[in-house]
Amino acid sequence: EDKVVQSPLSLVVHEGDTVTLNCSYEVTNFRSLLWYKQEKKAPTFLFMLTSSGIEKKSGRLSSILDKKELFSILNITATQTGDSAVYLCAVGGSQGNLIFGKGTKLSVKP
Amino acid sequence: DVKVTQSSRYLVKRTGEKVFLECVQDMDHENMFWYRQDPGLGLRLIYFSYDVKMKEKGDIPEGYSVSREKKERFSLILESASTNQTSMYLCASRKGVHYGYTFGSGTRLTVV
C-alpha cells in the first residue's frame, strides 16, 4: 500500500529559528513529490520535486528530494510568525492521484 | 491564476438530508478531486474524475457519490448525511498527471 509519512507531526519554534520538516514515502511508480502550506483554509502550492538532488528554493524556503532513500525535506530559515501553518507533503504514484501525509503543524512564537 | 471555487464555506445539515457540495474551476483542467480532511487523519481521497462523465472511487467513497456533467464542475453528493461525515471537504483540480493540484477554499460541513 502506498504511504507518505511526515515528521514531526508538530513543532514549536521561535522566530529566527531554522526548521527542517521531513517526508518519507513508499509509493509505486513515483512521479513527483509536492509540498503545500495550509493556513486556515486551502492548501497552497510550494514546490514540486521530480529529480533527486536538485534543490528548489523560494525565499527562505527550500526543498530537496532523495529518490534513492525515498524522502524529502523542507527547510525554512529565519522563521517568522507568518510561517505558522500545517505543511503537507504529497506524492504522485501509479494511479496519478496525490497521496498525502498527515502534515506537520508548525507554530512559530514571537 | 487558476481558480477553484467551492460554493459554500460553512454548511450545517441535519442527519438524513441529501447534501450537494459544488466545485467549479475556470482553467479547463481535466482532472478534479474531492478530499475530506480530518484532524489526525490528513487528507483522504473520496472520488476523482479524469474527464467529463468519468468518475473513479478514491479511498473512502462509502456514503458519497459524484457528478461531472461539465468539465468545469465536479459535485460531491452525500446521499443521506450522517454525523460521521462532519468534516472539511476540499475540492482540487489539475491540468494533468504531471501537474500539481490547485485547491478550493474548502467547505466545513457539520451534520447534526
Side-chain angles (χ1 to χ4, degrees):
Chain A
E1 187 184 329
D2 294 340
K3 65 179 178 181
V4 176
V5 178
Q6 291 185 246
S7 64
L9 290 180
S10 67
L11 190 55
V12 180
V13 300
H14 287 95
E15 273 193 316
D17 288 349
T18 293
V19 298
T20 299
L21 310 184
N22 303 292
C23 176
S24 64
Y25 62 90
E26 292 175 27
V27 173
T28 308
N29 295 331
F30 172 90
R31 290 179 184 268
S32 57
L33 184 145
L34 293 89
W35 285 96
Y36 287 86
K37 177 183 181 182
Q38 185 177 25
E39 296 174 87
K40 296 222 185 291
K41 34 188 186 173
T44 54
F45 173 79
L46 293 174
F47 299 111
M48 177 188 274
L49 303 155
T50 55
S51 301
S52 264
I54 299 173
E55 186 182 53
K56 294 256 179 135
K57 206 168 164 65
S58 175
R60 296 177 294 102
L61 278 67
S62 63
S63 183
I64 197 159
L65 173 66
D66 185 329
K67 286 166 78 172
K68 185 179 174 189
E69 300 297 330
L70 308 182
F71 77 91
S72 173
I73 58 171
L74 175 68
N75 276 325
I76 309 174
T77 58
T79 51
Q80 301 170 359
T81 54
D83 296 325
S84 295
V86 173
Y87 290 84
L88 297 169
C89 173
V91 176
S94 55
Q95 270 200 314
N97 304 328
L98 290 182
I99 301 147
F100 284 84
K102 293 182 180 177
T104 294
K105 183 176 180 181
L106 174 65
S107 299
V108 181
K109 304 290 185 191
Chain B
D1 272 358
V2 178
K3 200 166 177 186
V4 179
T5 303
Q6 293 185 231
S7 52
S8 305
R9 290 288 303 279
Y10 300 94
L11 271 181
V12 179
K13 296 291 182 181
R14 293 195 178 279
T15 301
E17 276 193 79
K18 191 168 186 175
V19 181
F20 293 86
L21 303 184
E22 304 288 346
C23 176
V24 178
Q25 49 92 5
D26 65 359
M27 282 298 288
D28 203 36
H29 280 183
E30 300 288 334
N31 308 158
M32 296 187 75
F33 305 85
W34 275 106
Y35 285 85
R36 64 178 282 178
Q37 186 176 28
D38 301 286
L41 296 176
L43 274 81
R44 292 180 291 165
L45 181 63
I46 306 171
Y47 267 96
F48 62 99
S49 169
Y50 279 5
D51 202 350
V52 178
K53 307 248 184 211
M54 175 266 184
K55 58 189 177 186
E56 291 284 345
K57 292 179 181 178
D59 299 318
I60 51 162
E62 296 79 19
Y64 303 94
S65 62
V66 289
S67 171
R68 193 160 181 210
E69 294 296 317
K70 293 185 178 180
K71 192 174 187 179
E72 66 270 20
R73 185 182 296 268
F74 191 36
S75 303
L76 179 70
I77 303 152
L78 286 65
E79 298 290 343
S80 176
S82 63
T83 54
N84 64 12
Q85 292 178 310
T86 292
S87 186
M88 167 70 89
Y89 289 87
L90 288 166
C91 174
S93 74
R94 71 178 178 191
K95 193 173 180 178
V97 295
H98 298 293
Y99 296 84
Y101 291 5
T102 299
F103 283 90
S105 294
T107 295
R108 187 166 292 283
L109 172 68
T110 302
V111 182
V112 298

